[in-house]
Amino acid sequence: MIRAIFFDFNGVIIDDETIQMKAYQEVLSGHEVALTEELYFGALGMDDRTFVRSMFEHAKKPLSDPLLEEVLGAKTDLHRQMIEELPLFPGVLKFLKSASREFQLGLVSMANLTEVSYVFQRANLTPLFSVIVTAEDASVCKPAPDCYLTGLLKLNELRQQERELPLLASECLAIEDSPPGIQSARAAGMRTLGVTNTVSEEALRAAGADVVTKSLADWNVDAVKLVFRQD
């Protein structure tokens, strides 16, 4: 039985993968680093620091720590300007609200805390989530399982404080939009729901997604309980 749901952020809650790419393209072009769509989507699952380092390395450009911070700051500022009208996916807010009444919710994302906090504050999502894991909490990127294991650890620490029994990974569902995200959650022992917001159904199934859907607008609490009941 599913007792907790962990959500990815970019591409699952907020429809901004293309916006992220365009923001990076604009910032990186100022440093003579070309970012193609193929390069961007081939790096799904990376945190911002790893991504910027990999792009500079690909372009054979030197990258100092001060320049890295400058690029990251400029991208975050531009991204914020580009999401003035918050692009949440259709149906996701309704699903989050209903799911939070039946399950404990967690966020497991390689996005930075600044960007996550900005969106959560604007959309009033913070009260719905028990735990939040961002790039600052993970030492390695997806598809490594570390971020999901950290999310489960944080959740069980919270449950211990509330004198509740800990959850097993198999009692958790991860909702992801990318193959590295699916692989990360599976490696942590969680069930997985892939959403075709970013890549194809075939790519998500090849990564091992238990179930694939076109939209969270098609899901509710009863569907989660039915589809992900214990075999």
Side-chain angles (χ1 to χ4, degrees):
M1 179 183 296
I2 297 300
R3 299 185 183 277
I5 303 178
F6 290 97
F7 292 79
D8 184 31
F9 182 62
N10 308 107
V12 171
I13 293 176
I14 182 170
D15 185 7
D16 74 335
E17 287 290 11
T18 300
I19 294 171
Q20 291 270 347
M21 180 181 68
K22 290 179 178 178
Y24 265 127
Q25 285 175 328
E26 184 170 333
V27 172
L28 291 174
S29 66
H31 300 280
E32 299 181 337
V33 175
L35 174 61
T36 64
E37 185 173 320
E38 182 180 8
L39 283 172
Y40 179 81
F41 286 102
L44 293 175
M46 288 186 183
D47 65 85
D48 287 314
R49 279 181 166 74
T50 303
F51 174 75
V52 172
R53 289 191 184 104
S54 69
M55 291 304 104
F56 270 78
E57 182 179 349
H58 183 268
K60 296 181 171 58
K61 296 284 185 179
L63 178 65
S64 64
D65 288 342
L67 180 55
L68 172 61
E69 296 304 321
E70 177 186 333
V71 169
L72 292 173
K75 175 261 178 180
T76 294
D77 290 343
L78 184 55
H79 175 263
R80 184 168 297 188
Q81 295 173 28
M82 296 171 76
I83 59 169
E84 184 174 350
E85 293 186 12
L86 207 59
L88 299 183
F89 278 103
V92 72
L93 187 56
K94 180 180 179 182
F95 180 70
L96 285 170
K97 288 181 177 178
S98 61
S100 69
R101 292 191 286 268
E102 296 285 338
F103 310 102
Q104 287 187 286
L105 304 188
L107 185 85
V108 176
S109 172
M110 290 295 97
N112 66 67
L113 182 59
T114 298
E115 292 184 9
V116 170
S117 297
Y118 176 71
V119 172
F120 268 43
Q121 182 178 8
R122 282 190 57 187
N124 196 30
L125 296 179
T126 305
L128 305 180
F129 285 79
S130 298
V131 296
I132 293 176
V133 174
T134 61
E136 290 83 353
D137 301 301
S139 58
V140 292
C141 306
K142 301 173 183 178
D146 303 50
C147 54
Y148 275 103
L149 294 174
T150 297
L152 181 58
L153 177 63
K154 283 189 171 187
L155 181 58
N156 280 334
E157 287 174 347
L158 179 63
R159 291 178 64 86
Q160 184 179 29
Q161 293 171 13
E162 297 173 348
R163 297 186 179 182
E164 295 180 337
L165 292 174
L167 297 183
L168 301 173
S170 59
E171 296 177 295
C172 301
L173 172 66
I175 301 181
E176 279 278 357
D177 70 309
S178 73
I182 293 292
Q183 292 165 344
S184 174
R186 281 177 53 83
M190 298 183 183
R191 306 294 299 275
T192 53
L193 171 61
V195 188
T196 58
N197 291 332
T198 306
V199 302
S200 68
E201 176 180 351
E202 291 74 19
L204 292 170
R205 290 197 183 280
D210 293 312
V211 179
V212 177
T213 185
K214 291 182 178 179
S215 174
L216 287 181
D218 298 330
W219 285 73
N220 55 34
V221 168
D222 290 337
V224 172
K225 292 180 178 179
L226 177 64
V227 173
F228 293 97
R229 64 185 184 276
Q230 293 284 22
D231 297 330

PDB file of all heavy atoms in Angstrom, residues 38-71:
ATOM      1  N   GLU A  38      19.424  19.227 -27.496  1.00  0.00           N
ATOM      2  CA  GLU A  38      19.909  17.871 -27.251  1.00  0.00           C
ATOM      3  C   GLU A  38      20.783  17.808 -26.003  1.00  0.00           C
ATOM      4  O   GLU A  38      20.648  16.890 -25.187  1.00  0.00           O
ATOM      5  CB  GLU A  38      20.711  17.389 -28.458  1.00  0.00           C
ATOM      6  CG  GLU A  38      21.230  15.958 -28.316  1.00  0.00           C
ATOM      7  CD  GLU A  38      22.026  15.509 -29.529  1.00  0.00           C
ATOM      8  OE1 GLU A  38      22.305  16.349 -30.413  1.00  0.00           O
ATOM      9  OE2 GLU A  38      22.371  14.317 -29.589  1.00  0.00           O
ATOM     10  N   LEU A  39      21.658  18.799 -25.837  1.00  0.00           N
ATOM     11  CA  LEU A  39      22.517  18.835 -24.656  1.00  0.00           C
ATOM     12  C   LEU A  39      21.698  19.030 -23.386  1.00  0.00           C
ATOM     13  O   LEU A  39      21.941  18.377 -22.369  1.00  0.00           O
ATOM     14  CB  LEU A  39      23.556  19.952 -24.785  1.00  0.00           C
ATOM     15  CG  LEU A  39      24.750  19.688 -25.698  1.00  0.00           C
ATOM     16  CD1 LEU A  39      25.572  20.956 -25.867  1.00  0.00           C
ATOM     17  CD2 LEU A  39      25.615  18.563 -25.146  1.00  0.00           C
ATOM     18  N   TYR A  40      20.727  19.928 -23.443  1.00  0.00           N
ATOM     19  CA  TYR A  40      19.937  20.215 -22.249  1.00  0.00           C
ATOM     20  C   TYR A  40      19.143  18.988 -21.801  1.00  0.00           C
ATOM     21  O   TYR A  40      19.215  18.576 -20.631  1.00  0.00           O
ATOM     22  CB  TYR A  40      18.981  21.385 -22.478  1.00  0.00           C
ATOM     23  CG  TYR A  40      18.135  21.672 -21.260  1.00  0.00           C
ATOM     24  CD1 TYR A  40      18.638  22.416 -20.201  1.00  0.00           C
ATOM     25  CD2 TYR A  40      16.853  21.134 -21.125  1.00  0.00           C
ATOM     26  CE1 TYR A  40      17.893  22.640 -19.052  1.00  0.00           C
ATOM     27  CE2 TYR A  40      16.101  21.352 -19.982  1.00  0.00           C
ATOM     28  CZ  TYR A  40      16.617  22.105 -18.954  1.00  0.00           C
ATOM     29  OH  TYR A  40      15.878  22.310 -17.809  1.00  0.00           O
ATOM     30  N   PHE A  41      18.394  18.403 -22.723  1.00  0.00           N
ATOM     31  CA  PHE A  41      17.544  17.279 -22.340  1.00  0.00           C
ATOM     32  C   PHE A  41      18.350  16.003 -22.103  1.00  0.00           C
ATOM     33  O   PHE A  41      17.863  15.075 -21.455  1.00  0.00           O
ATOM     34  CB  PHE A  41      16.437  17.073 -23.377  1.00  0.00           C
ATOM     35  CG  PHE A  41      15.363  18.115 -23.284  1.00  0.00           C
ATOM     36  CD1 PHE A  41      15.323  19.168 -24.186  1.00  0.00           C
ATOM     37  CD2 PHE A  41      14.426  18.083 -22.274  1.00  0.00           C
ATOM     38  CE1 PHE A  41      14.351  20.145 -24.089  1.00  0.00           C
ATOM     39  CE2 PHE A  41      13.440  19.059 -22.158  1.00  0.00           C
ATOM     40  CZ  PHE A  41      13.408  20.097 -23.071  1.00  0.00           C
ATOM     41  N   GLY A  42      19.579  15.985 -22.580  1.00  0.00           N
ATOM     42  CA  GLY A  42      20.455  14.868 -22.268  1.00  0.00           C
ATOM     43  C   GLY A  42      21.038  14.948 -20.870  1.00  0.00           C
ATOM     44  O   GLY A  42      21.651  13.994 -20.392  1.00  0.00           O
ATOM     45  N   ALA A  43      20.832  16.091 -20.215  1.00  0.00           N
ATOM     46  CA  ALA A  43      21.373  16.301 -18.873  1.00  0.00           C
ATOM     47  C   ALA A  43      20.296  16.297 -17.800  1.00  0.00           C
ATOM     48  O   ALA A  43      20.539  16.718 -16.667  1.00  0.00           O
ATOM     49  CB  ALA A  43      22.135  17.630 -18.833  1.00  0.00           C
ATOM     50  N   LEU A  44      19.096  15.828 -18.123  1.00  0.00           N
ATOM     51  CA  LEU A  44      18.027  15.764 -17.129  1.00  0.00           C
ATOM     52  C   LEU A  44      18.483  14.941 -15.932  1.00  0.00           C
ATOM     53  O   LEU A  44      19.111  13.905 -16.080  1.00  0.00           O
ATOM     54  CB  LEU A  44      16.764  15.143 -17.740  1.00  0.00           C
ATOM     55  CG  LEU A  44      16.059  15.958 -18.824  1.00  0.00           C
ATOM     56  CD1 LEU A  44      14.908  15.151 -19.421  1.00  0.00           C
ATOM     57  CD2 LEU A  44      15.552  17.290 -18.276  1.00  0.00           C
ATOM     58  N   GLY A  45      18.152  15.412 -14.747  1.00  0.00           N
ATOM     59  CA  GLY A  45      18.557  14.727 -13.522  1.00  0.00           C
ATOM     60  C   GLY A  45      19.749  15.365 -12.847  1.00  0.00           C
ATOM     61  O   GLY A  45      20.033  15.078 -11.688  1.00  0.00           O
ATOM     62  N   MET A  46      20.462  16.238 -13.579  1.00  0.00           N
ATOM     63  CA  MET A  46      21.609  16.927 -12.984  1.00  0.00           C
ATOM     64  C   MET A  46      21.149  18.116 -12.150  1.00  0.00           C
ATOM     65  O   MET A  46      20.148  18.760 -12.469  1.00  0.00           O
ATOM     66  CB  MET A  46      22.545  17.461 -14.084  1.00  0.00           C
ATOM     67  CG  MET A  46      23.336  16.427 -14.813  1.00  0.00           C
ATOM     68  SD  MET A  46      24.507  17.240 -15.953  1.00  0.00           S
ATOM     69  CE  MET A  46      25.229  15.804 -16.746  1.00  0.00           C
ATOM     70  N   ASP A  47      21.903  18.425 -11.099  1.00  0.00           N
ATOM     71  CA  ASP A  47      21.676  19.679 -10.402  1.00  0.00           C
ATOM     72  C   ASP A  47      22.345  20.802 -11.188  1.00  0.00           C
ATOM     73  O   ASP A  47      23.110  20.564 -12.123  1.00  0.00           O
ATOM     74  CB  ASP A  47      22.224  19.621  -8.973  1.00  0.00           C
ATOM     75  CG  ASP A  47      23.735  19.476  -8.951  1.00  0.00           C
ATOM     76  OD1 ASP A  47      24.426  20.498  -9.026  1.00  0.00           O
ATOM     77  OD2 ASP A  47      24.214  18.328  -8.862  1.00  0.00           O
ATOM     78  N   ASP A  48      22.042  22.059 -10.835  1.00  0.00           N
ATOM     79  CA  ASP A  48      22.520  23.201 -11.610  1.00  0.00           C
ATOM     80  C   ASP A  48      24.041  23.277 -11.673  1.00  0.00           C
ATOM     81  O   ASP A  48      24.611  23.559 -12.736  1.00  0.00           O
ATOM     82  CB  ASP A  48      21.954  24.502 -11.030  1.00  0.00           C
ATOM     83  CG  ASP A  48      20.474  24.669 -11.336  1.00  0.00           C
ATOM     84  OD1 ASP A  48      20.095  24.452 -12.486  1.00  0.00           O
ATOM     85  OD2 ASP A  48      19.703  25.023 -10.421  1.00  0.00           O
ATOM     86  N   ARG A  49      24.695  23.068 -10.555  1.00  0.00           N
ATOM     87  CA  ARG A  49      26.157  23.166 -10.546  1.00  0.00           C
ATOM     88  C   ARG A  49      26.804  22.117 -11.456  1.00  0.00           C
ATOM     89  O   ARG A  49      27.719  22.418 -12.230  1.00  0.00           O
ATOM     90  CB  ARG A  49      26.688  23.039  -9.116  1.00  0.00           C
ATOM     91  CG  ARG A  49      26.593  24.320  -8.317  1.00  0.00           C
ATOM     92  CD  ARG A  49      27.154  24.190  -6.917  1.00  0.00           C
ATOM     93  NE  ARG A  49      27.350  25.498  -6.324  1.00  0.00           N
ATOM     94  CZ  ARG A  49      26.355  26.267  -5.877  1.00  0.00           C
ATOM     95  NH1 ARG A  49      25.106  25.825  -5.945  1.00  0.00           N
ATOM     96  NH2 ARG A  49      26.615  27.461  -5.374  1.00  0.00           N
ATOM     97  N   THR A  50      26.340  20.897 -11.360  1.00  0.00           N
ATOM     98  CA  THR A  50      26.874  19.840 -12.213  1.00  0.00           C
ATOM     99  C   THR A  50      26.604  20.142 -13.678  1.00  0.00           C
ATOM    100  O   THR A  50      27.464  19.937 -14.548  1.00  0.00           O
ATOM    101  CB  THR A  50      26.253  18.484 -11.833  1.00  0.00           C
ATOM    102  OG1 THR A  50      26.492  18.225 -10.449  1.00  0.00           O
ATOM    103  CG2 THR A  50      26.828  17.357 -12.669  1.00  0.00           C
ATOM    104  N   PHE A  51      25.401  20.665 -13.948  1.00  0.00           N
ATOM    105  CA  PHE A  51      25.029  20.978 -15.328  1.00  0.00           C
ATOM    106  C   PHE A  51      25.928  22.064 -15.914  1.00  0.00           C
ATOM    107  O   PHE A  51      26.448  21.917 -17.022  1.00  0.00           O
ATOM    108  CB  PHE A  51      23.568  21.429 -15.380  1.00  0.00           C
ATOM    109  CG  PHE A  51      23.132  21.899 -16.736  1.00  0.00           C
ATOM    110  CD1 PHE A  51      22.887  20.999 -17.753  1.00  0.00           C
ATOM    111  CD2 PHE A  51      22.974  23.250 -17.002  1.00  0.00           C
ATOM    112  CE1 PHE A  51      22.498  21.430 -19.019  1.00  0.00           C
ATOM    113  CE2 PHE A  51      22.586  23.696 -18.253  1.00  0.00           C
ATOM    114  CZ  PHE A  51      22.347  22.771 -19.266  1.00  0.00           C
ATOM    115  N   VAL A  52      26.112  23.157 -15.174  1.00  0.00           N
ATOM    116  CA  VAL A  52      26.934  24.256 -15.685  1.00  0.00           C
ATOM    117  C   VAL A  52      28.370  23.792 -15.894  1.00  0.00           C
ATOM    118  O   VAL A  52      28.997  24.101 -16.915  1.00  0.00           O
ATOM    119  CB  VAL A  52      26.877  25.472 -14.736  1.00  0.00           C
ATOM    120  CG1 VAL A  52      27.897  26.539 -15.161  1.00  0.00           C
ATOM    121  CG2 VAL A  52      25.479  26.071 -14.730  1.00  0.00           C
ATOM    122  N   ARG A  53      28.892  23.038 -14.955  1.00  0.00           N
ATOM    123  CA  ARG A  53      30.257  22.527 -15.121  1.00  0.00           C
ATOM    124  C   ARG A  53      30.368  21.667 -16.371  1.00  0.00           C
ATOM    125  O   ARG A  53      31.349  21.755 -17.126  1.00  0.00           O
ATOM    126  CB  ARG A  53      30.665  21.721 -13.882  1.00  0.00           C
ATOM    127  CG  ARG A  53      30.912  22.555 -12.625  1.00  0.00           C
ATOM    128  CD  ARG A  53      31.567  21.715 -11.537  1.00  0.00           C
ATOM    129  NE  ARG A  53      31.733  22.463 -10.305  1.00  0.00           N
ATOM    130  CZ  ARG A  53      30.974  22.320  -9.220  1.00  0.00           C
ATOM    131  NH1 ARG A  53      29.989  21.425  -9.222  1.00  0.00           N
ATOM    132  NH2 ARG A  53      31.190  23.040  -8.131  1.00  0.00           N
ATOM    133  N   SER A  54      29.365  20.815 -16.597  1.00  0.00           N
ATOM    134  CA  SER A  54      29.411  19.925 -17.758  1.00  0.00           C
ATOM    135  C   SER A  54      29.309  20.709 -19.061  1.00  0.00           C
ATOM    136  O   SER A  54      29.956  20.342 -20.054  1.00  0.00           O
ATOM    137  CB  SER A  54      28.296  18.873 -17.678  1.00  0.00           C
ATOM    138  OG  SER A  54      27.024  19.471 -17.843  1.00  0.00           O
ATOM    139  N   MET A  55      28.541  21.801 -19.077  1.00  0.00           N
ATOM    140  CA  MET A  55      28.406  22.597 -20.293  1.00  0.00           C
ATOM    141  C   MET A  55      29.694  23.360 -20.603  1.00  0.00           C
ATOM    142  O   MET A  55      30.100  23.474 -21.762  1.00  0.00           O
ATOM    143  CB  MET A  55      27.227  23.561 -20.160  1.00  0.00           C
ATOM    144  CG  MET A  55      25.863  22.889 -20.146  1.00  0.00           C
ATOM    145  SD  MET A  55      25.531  21.829 -21.586  1.00  0.00           S
ATOM    146  CE  MET A  55      25.760  20.198 -20.861  1.00  0.00           C
ATOM    147  N   PHE A  56      30.337  23.893 -19.593  1.00  0.00           N
ATOM    148  CA  PHE A  56      31.614  24.574 -19.807  1.00  0.00           C
ATOM    149  C   PHE A  56      32.682  23.572 -20.254  1.00  0.00           C
ATOM    150  O   PHE A  56      33.504  23.880 -21.125  1.00  0.00           O
ATOM    151  CB  PHE A  56      32.057  25.308 -18.537  1.00  0.00           C
ATOM    152  CG  PHE A  56      31.556  26.726 -18.453  1.00  0.00           C
ATOM    153  CD1 PHE A  56      30.244  26.988 -18.089  1.00  0.00           C
ATOM    154  CD2 PHE A  56      32.395  27.790 -18.747  1.00  0.00           C
ATOM    155  CE1 PHE A  56      29.767  28.288 -18.013  1.00  0.00           C
ATOM    156  CE2 PHE A  56      31.930  29.101 -18.678  1.00  0.00           C
ATOM    157  CZ  PHE A  56      30.608  29.358 -18.316  1.00  0.00           C
ATOM    158  N   GLU A  57      32.655  22.390 -19.661  1.00  0.00           N
ATOM    159  CA  GLU A  57      33.611  21.359 -20.050  1.00  0.00           C
ATOM    160  C   GLU A  57      33.378  20.942 -21.500  1.00  0.00           C
ATOM    161  O   GLU A  57      34.330  20.754 -22.271  1.00  0.00           O
ATOM    162  CB  GLU A  57      33.486  20.153 -19.119  1.00  0.00           C
ATOM    163  CG  GLU A  57      34.469  19.041 -19.419  1.00  0.00           C
ATOM    164  CD  GLU A  57      34.333  17.876 -18.446  1.00  0.00           C
ATOM    165  OE1 GLU A  57      33.638  18.018 -17.428  1.00  0.00           O
ATOM    166  OE2 GLU A  57      34.937  16.819 -18.727  1.00  0.00           O
ATOM    167  N   HIS A  58      32.101  20.797 -21.875  1.00  0.00           N
ATOM    168  CA  HIS A  58      31.767  20.415 -23.251  1.00  0.00           C
ATOM    169  C   HIS A  58      32.243  21.471 -24.239  1.00  0.00           C
ATOM    170  O   HIS A  58      32.694  21.144 -25.346  1.00  0.00           O
ATOM    171  CB  HIS A  58      30.245  20.224 -23.384  1.00  0.00           C
ATOM    172  CG  HIS A  58      29.812  19.771 -24.739  1.00  0.00           C
ATOM    173  ND1 HIS A  58      29.449  20.652 -25.739  1.00  0.00           N
ATOM    174  CD2 HIS A  58      29.693  18.518 -25.264  1.00  0.00           C
ATOM    175  CE1 HIS A  58      29.115  19.964 -26.810  1.00  0.00           C
ATOM    176  NE2 HIS A  58      29.249  18.675 -26.559  1.00  0.00           N
ATOM    177  N   ALA A  59      32.141  22.752 -23.833  1.00  0.00           N
ATOM    178  CA  ALA A  59      32.569  23.856 -24.701  1.00  0.00           C
ATOM    179  C   ALA A  59      34.067  24.126 -24.599  1.00  0.00           C
ATOM    180  O   ALA A  59      34.579  25.020 -25.269  1.00  0.00           O
ATOM    181  CB  ALA A  59      31.786  25.122 -24.348  1.00  0.00           C
ATOM    182  N   LYS A  60      34.733  23.347 -23.730  1.00  0.00           N
ATOM    183  CA  LYS A  60      36.174  23.515 -23.506  1.00  0.00           C
ATOM    184  C   LYS A  60      36.514  24.943 -23.049  1.00  0.00           C
ATOM    185  O   LYS A  60      37.471  25.564 -23.520  1.00  0.00           O
ATOM    186  CB  LYS A  60      36.968  23.144 -24.764  1.00  0.00           C
ATOM    187  CG  LYS A  60      36.834  21.662 -25.143  1.00  0.00           C
ATOM    188  CD  LYS A  60      37.653  21.339 -26.379  1.00  0.00           C
ATOM    189  CE  LYS A  60      37.683  19.823 -26.626  1.00  0.00           C
ATOM    190  NZ  LYS A  60      36.339  19.240 -26.782  1.00  0.00           N
ATOM    191  N   LYS A  61      35.683  25.418 -22.115  1.00  0.00           N
ATOM    192  CA  LYS A  61      35.878  26.753 -21.544  1.00  0.00           C
ATOM    193  C   LYS A  61      36.250  26.623 -20.071  1.00  0.00           C
ATOM    194  O   LYS A  61      35.697  25.776 -19.354  1.00  0.00           O
ATOM    195  CB  LYS A  61      34.595  27.579 -21.658  1.00  0.00           C
ATOM    196  CG  LYS A  61      34.157  27.882 -23.090  1.00  0.00           C
ATOM    197  CD  LYS A  61      35.017  28.963 -23.706  1.00  0.00           C
ATOM    198  CE  LYS A  61      34.495  29.350 -25.085  1.00  0.00           C
ATOM    199  NZ  LYS A  61      35.306  30.418 -25.692  1.00  0.00           N
ATOM    200  N   PRO A  62      37.174  27.445 -19.574  1.00  0.00           N
ATOM    201  CA  PRO A  62      37.521  27.403 -18.149  1.00  0.00           C
ATOM    202  C   PRO A  62      36.372  27.934 -17.301  1.00  0.00           C
ATOM    203  O   PRO A  62      35.622  28.824 -17.729  1.00  0.00           O
ATOM    204  CB  PRO A  62      38.746  28.309 -18.058  1.00  0.00           C
ATOM    205  CG  PRO A  62      38.598  29.253 -19.211  1.00  0.00           C
ATOM    206  CD  PRO A  62      37.954  28.457 -20.319  1.00  0.00           C
ATOM    207  N   LEU A  63      36.218  27.381 -16.113  1.00  0.00           N
ATOM    208  CA  LEU A  63      35.137  27.795 -15.217  1.00  0.00           C
ATOM    209  C   LEU A  63      35.679  27.902 -13.798  1.00  0.00           C
ATOM    210  O   LEU A  63      35.952  26.896 -13.151  1.00  0.00           O
ATOM    211  CB  LEU A  63      33.984  26.782 -15.261  1.00  0.00           C
ATOM    212  CG  LEU A  63      32.799  27.062 -14.344  1.00  0.00           C
ATOM    213  CD1 LEU A  63      32.082  28.350 -14.753  1.00  0.00           C
ATOM    214  CD2 LEU A  63      31.815  25.888 -14.350  1.00  0.00           C
ATOM    215  N   SER A  64      35.799  29.126 -13.318  1.00  0.00           N
ATOM    216  CA  SER A  64      36.228  29.359 -11.941  1.00  0.00           C
ATOM    217  C   SER A  64      35.013  29.290 -11.027  1.00  0.00           C
ATOM    218  O   SER A  64      33.860  29.380 -11.474  1.00  0.00           O
ATOM    219  CB  SER A  64      36.896  30.727 -11.820  1.00  0.00           C
ATOM    220  OG  SER A  64      35.952  31.757 -12.110  1.00  0.00           O
ATOM    221  N   ASP A  65      35.251  29.153  -9.740  1.00  0.00           N
ATOM    222  CA  ASP A  65      34.148  29.141  -8.779  1.00  0.00           C
ATOM    223  C   ASP A  65      33.349  30.449  -8.802  1.00  0.00           C
ATOM    224  O   ASP A  65      32.104  30.405  -8.775  1.00  0.00           O
ATOM    225  CB  ASP A  65      34.674  28.862  -7.375  1.00  0.00           C
ATOM    226  CG  ASP A  65      35.121  27.417  -7.198  1.00  0.00           C
ATOM    227  OD1 ASP A  65      34.713  26.565  -8.021  1.00  0.00           O
ATOM    228  OD2 ASP A  65      35.871  27.135  -6.245  1.00  0.00           O
ATOM    229  N   PRO A  66      34.010  31.622  -8.866  1.00  0.00           N
ATOM    230  CA  PRO A  66      33.234  32.871  -8.948  1.00  0.00           C
ATOM    231  C   PRO A  66      32.376  32.940 -10.216  1.00  0.00           C
ATOM    232  O   PRO A  66      31.234  33.424 -10.171  1.00  0.00           O
ATOM    233  CB  PRO A  66      34.306  33.962  -8.947  1.00  0.00           C
ATOM    234  CG  PRO A  66      35.468  33.345  -8.238  1.00  0.00           C
ATOM    235  CD  PRO A  66      35.447  31.903  -8.657  1.00  0.00           C
ATOM    236  N   LEU A  67      32.900  32.451 -11.342  1.00  0.00           N
ATOM    237  CA  LEU A  67      32.121  32.462 -12.578  1.00  0.00           C
ATOM    238  C   LEU A  67      30.943  31.499 -12.484  1.00  0.00           C
ATOM    239  O   LEU A  67      29.835  31.804 -12.959  1.00  0.00           O
ATOM    240  CB  LEU A  67      33.010  32.097 -13.767  1.00  0.00           C
ATOM    241  CG  LEU A  67      32.326  32.065 -15.139  1.00  0.00           C
ATOM    242  CD1 LEU A  67      31.619  33.389 -15.440  1.00  0.00           C
ATOM    243  CD2 LEU A  67      33.336  31.717 -16.239  1.00  0.00           C
ATOM    244  N   LEU A  68      31.148  30.350 -11.862  1.00  0.00           N
ATOM    245  CA  LEU A  68      30.058  29.403 -11.658  1.00  0.00           C
ATOM    246  C   LEU A  68      28.928  30.050 -10.881  1.00  0.00           C
ATOM    247  O   LEU A  68      27.756  29.952 -11.260  1.00  0.00           O
ATOM    248  CB  LEU A  68      30.576  28.160 -10.921  1.00  0.00           C
ATOM    249  CG  LEU A  68      29.524  27.144 -10.456  1.00  0.00           C
ATOM    250  CD1 LEU A  68      28.759  26.574 -11.635  1.00  0.00           C
ATOM    251  CD2 LEU A  68      30.181  26.025  -9.646  1.00  0.00           C
ATOM    252  N   GLU A  69      29.269  30.751  -9.788  1.00  0.00           N
ATOM    253  CA  GLU A  69      28.239  31.410  -8.982  1.00  0.00           C
ATOM    254  C   GLU A  69      27.548  32.521  -9.772  1.00  0.00           C
ATOM    255  O   GLU A  69      26.338  32.734  -9.631  1.00  0.00           O
ATOM    256  CB  GLU A  69      28.866  31.978  -7.704  1.00  0.00           C
ATOM    257  CG  GLU A  69      29.438  30.915  -6.771  1.00  0.00           C
ATOM    258  CD  GLU A  69      28.414  29.855  -6.382  1.00  0.00           C
ATOM    259  OE1 GLU A  69      27.235  30.210  -6.151  1.00  0.00           O
ATOM    260  OE2 GLU A  69      28.791  28.670  -6.308  1.00  0.00           O
ATOM    261  N   GLU A  70      28.310  33.216 -10.601  1.00  0.00           N
ATOM    262  CA  GLU A  70      27.725  34.277 -11.424  1.00  0.00           C
ATOM    263  C   GLU A  70      26.706  33.705 -12.414  1.00  0.00           C
ATOM    264  O   GLU A  70      25.607  34.247 -12.564  1.00  0.00           O
ATOM    265  CB  GLU A  70      28.836  34.999 -12.194  1.00  0.00           C
ATOM    266  CG  GLU A  70      28.332  36.083 -13.133  1.00  0.00           C
ATOM    267  CD  GLU A  70      29.434  36.685 -13.989  1.00  0.00           C
ATOM    268  OE1 GLU A  70      30.608  36.665 -13.542  1.00  0.00           O
ATOM    269  OE2 GLU A  70      29.136  37.149 -15.102  1.00  0.00           O
ATOM    270  N   VAL A  71      27.066  32.614 -13.067  1.00  0.00           N
ATOM    271  CA  VAL A  71      26.163  31.977 -14.031  1.00  0.00           C
ATOM    272  C   VAL A  71      24.906  31.472 -13.337  1.00  0.00           C
ATOM    273  O   VAL A  71      23.777  31.681 -13.814  1.00  0.00           O
ATOM    274  CB  VAL A  71      26.885  30.819 -14.760  1.00  0.00           C
ATOM    275  CG1 VAL A  71      25.882  29.986 -15.569  1.00  0.00           C
ATOM    276  CG2 VAL A  71      27.973  31.365 -15.667  1.00  0.00           C
TER     277      VAL A  71
END
